[in-house]
Amino acid sequence: MSSNQANPSRSLRDQDPEVANLLEREDARQSSTLTLIASENHCSQAVREACSSRITDKYAEGYPGKRYYGGCEVADQVEDLARTRAAKLFGAEEANVQPHSGSTANLAAMVALAGPNGRILGMALKAGGHLTHGHQKSHSGMLFSVHQYGVRGADGRIDLDEVRKLAKEHQPHVLIAGGSSYPRAIDYAAFASIAKEVGAKLLADIAHPAGLIAAGVMPSPVGIADVVTMTTHKTLRGPRGGLILCSKETAKLIHSAVFPGAQGGPLMHQIAGKAVAFGEALQPSFRAYQTRVRDNAAALANRLRDNGLDIVTGGTDSHIVLVDLRKAGVTGAEAEARALAAGLSVNKNAVPEDPLPPMVTSGLRLGTAAATTRGMGLPQIAQLADVILGLVRGEDPERHRKTVAALCAEFPMP
Ligand code: DSN
């Protein structure tokens, strides 16, 4: 450790080769394999530069123009830029760019709208919802009185009649629309009308389709839902973090629920990265990218289905393809391990009415955001679909590794 003595001007490689080596290995891992994990993407070099800038040192508790520390004049401009760009990108009245993650964004939104111990109604995790929508092991399940809706067993889609019935029965303060493995567009107007019927506020969590929605490729809940939460690192292709959109009327509640309610000082380096990502998403090329993400996902779903795999809901409207492996005779965990051995990162995932536990599952969740960022299009998606079909059938992953490696070499990360 003698070479590890603190010298603040040394490069990472000189100061801490151990960490530098690990990060190089991660770079190599990402370059030589391909992620089809629906919640992952590759942000730009510009975003990564902003996130590793010196503004990481700055404490800026509070909001622009109203901070608890001096020296925030640059931080104020960075945050203003990020929130103005976010609001413009989504056509929202107000944006809060401080949430460290989607989880804190949801916590803040639920506290603001329901209050502690309030009643919430969200989609169950095993039906395609998210942990923070009321799962008993998450803060949302501990702090709120929770009821959950599922999806129809027959077609994997949200049953609005069931949502209405449960809303009438349980009178939630907050109704949540959105999830982490629901592949279809959500009828936000129908959710808003149910919320109105029972006097609830509507929270739309668009963490997964945020980029598609920003680009106008999927329908937006902005202006329909009372509050919209999301992460910035999935289809939106920014740095890791959260974002909340709301009306001017709700803004005060939301801002104070984020700080000081849920968090202390904002991560200014991440907010700088968000500003860059929102700037990129405002370019016309972003719409073209998102269109390709959706078209690639549709092609992936079609090829898997046409070759015998069951696809939950029969297809997709987004970047997500949820494969139901029950008839294929392989579990989600087994398929994930085979894919990894072939150089593909994917994740096992529960399917509606899944009989297997969460660490095994009967499904595989796939997503096309990262592969599309690498420039892959329909011919490559067809190759990848064939790799997945072969792996599910039990073919040797080593054989498919070559195909994946060749694609990775031809389509490097940004
Ligand atoms: N891990 C993210 C997802 O897969 O949806 C959100 O928790």
Side-chain angles (χ1 to χ4, degrees):
M1 292 293 281
S2 59
S3 66
N4 220 15
Q5 280 172 20
N7 175 346
S9 300
R10 272 184 180 167
S11 69
L12 174 62
R13 162 109 344 254
D14 290 341
Q15 174 63 29
D16 197 329
E18 202 176 354
V19 172
N21 285 342
L22 285 171
L23 297 183
E24 259 178 30
R25 268 181 57 199
E26 175 59 11
D27 233 57
R29 186 195 69 80
Q30 289 192 25
S31 303
S32 61
T33 61
L34 179 66
T35 179
L36 290 175
I37 290 178
S39 46
E40 292 183 1
N41 206 338
H42 301 293
C43 65
S44 66
Q45 179 176 335
V47 168
R48 282 184 281 124
E49 272 179 34
C51 293
S52 62
S53 68
R54 282 224 163 91
I55 206 166
T56 190
D57 295 339
K58 188 68 198 107
Y59 245 118
E61 276 170 310
Y63 287 100
K66 218 175 153 197
R67 305 281 191 187
Y68 289 83
Y69 293 87
C72 288
E73 59 276 11
V74 177
D76 280 4
Q77 286 190 41
V78 169
E79 186 166 344
D80 271 337
L81 203 53
R83 62 187 193 176
T84 310
R85 286 181 181 175
K88 184 173 174 198
L89 180 61
F90 287 94
E93 288 182 6
E94 282 274 344
N96 186 310
V97 295
Q98 291 196 5
H100 301 334
S101 67
S103 294
T104 49
N106 280 344
L107 172 63
M110 287 188 239
V111 168
L113 297 178
N117 305 314
R119 294 183 297 278
I120 62 174
L121 175 61
M123 197 194 301
L125 179 66
K126 60 181 188 200
H130 189 252
L131 270 172
T132 57
H133 296 179
H135 191 278
Q136 57 189 15
K137 298 254 161 123
S138 115
H139 55 65
S140 54
M142 299 172 196
L143 301 179
F144 302 99
S145 164
V146 176
H147 289 93
Q148 306 238 272
Y149 58 90
V151 289
R152 274 190 299 258
D155 63 3
R157 299 212 184 215
I158 293 170
D159 180 348
L160 288 165
D161 292 335
E162 188 211 4
V163 176
R164 179 175 286 103
K165 184 174 150 281
L166 290 170
K168 285 191 167 157
E169 194 177 329
H170 300 296
Q171 299 287 309
H173 297 107
V174 176
L175 174 61
I176 307 171
S180 62
S181 58
Y182 190 69
R184 292 296 183 173
I186 287 176
D187 184 346
Y188 296 110
F191 267 93
S193 130
I194 295 171
K196 199 166 170 207
E197 279 177 49
V198 299
K201 297 287 185 191
L202 179 61
L203 169 60
D205 179 345
I206 61 165
H208 268 271
L212 295 147
I213 289 172
V217 171
M218 285 186 78
S220 173
V222 175
I224 299 173
D226 295 280
V227 174
V228 178
T229 56
M230 72 195 81
T231 46
T232 46
H233 49 272
K234 298 186 176 86
T235 51
L236 198 46
R237 206 163 63 177
R240 302 199 81 78
L243 169 65
I244 305 181
L245 305 172
C246 61
S247 64
K248 287 204 181 306
E249 200 188 328
T250 324
K252 200 160 179 282
L253 265 179
I254 290 292
H255 295 331
S256 60
V258 173
F259 171 82
Q263 299 181 173
L267 308 177
M268 286 312 307
H269 54 303
Q270 293 303 97
I271 292 176
K274 289 175 193 177
V276 175
F278 302 151
E280 291 173 358
L282 282 161
Q283 305 300 316
S285 57
F286 192 69
R287 185 181 163 84
Y289 161 66
Q290 296 294 345
T291 305
R292 287 196 300 275
V293 168
R294 185 198 53 196
D295 292 350
N296 279 344
L300 178 61
N302 290 344
R303 196 166 178 103
L304 295 177
R305 193 192 53 227
D306 293 347
N307 285 281
L309 288 186
D310 284 340
I311 304 298
V312 176
T313 77
T316 180
D317 298 324
S318 66
H319 61 301
I320 296 175
V321 177
L322 186 57
V323 185
D324 183 339
L325 296 167
R326 280 178 291 188
K327 286 192 206 137
V330 56
T331 67
E334 284 162 350
E336 180 188 289
R338 289 179 198 174
L340 265 182
L344 283 180
S345 289
V346 298
N347 69 277
K348 57 184 167 295
N349 207 98
V351 293
E353 302 182 340
D354 202 322
L356 296 178
M359 289 306 286
V360 184
T361 79
S362 305
L364 210 51
R365 186 185 65 163
L366 307 170
T368 51
T372 310
T373 291
R374 291 177 81 145
M376 295 185 197
L378 298 178
Q380 293 76 36
I381 290 296
Q383 278 180 277
L384 289 168
D386 292 346
V387 167
I388 292 161
L389 287 161
L391 293 169
V392 168
R393 282 186 209 116
E395 290 169 8
D396 182 8
E398 213 36 58
R399 180 179 139 202
H400 293 292
R401 198 178 174 92
K402 290 195 189 76
T403 310
V404 175
L407 283 173
C408 291
E410 193 183 344
F411 296 90
M413 295 187 307

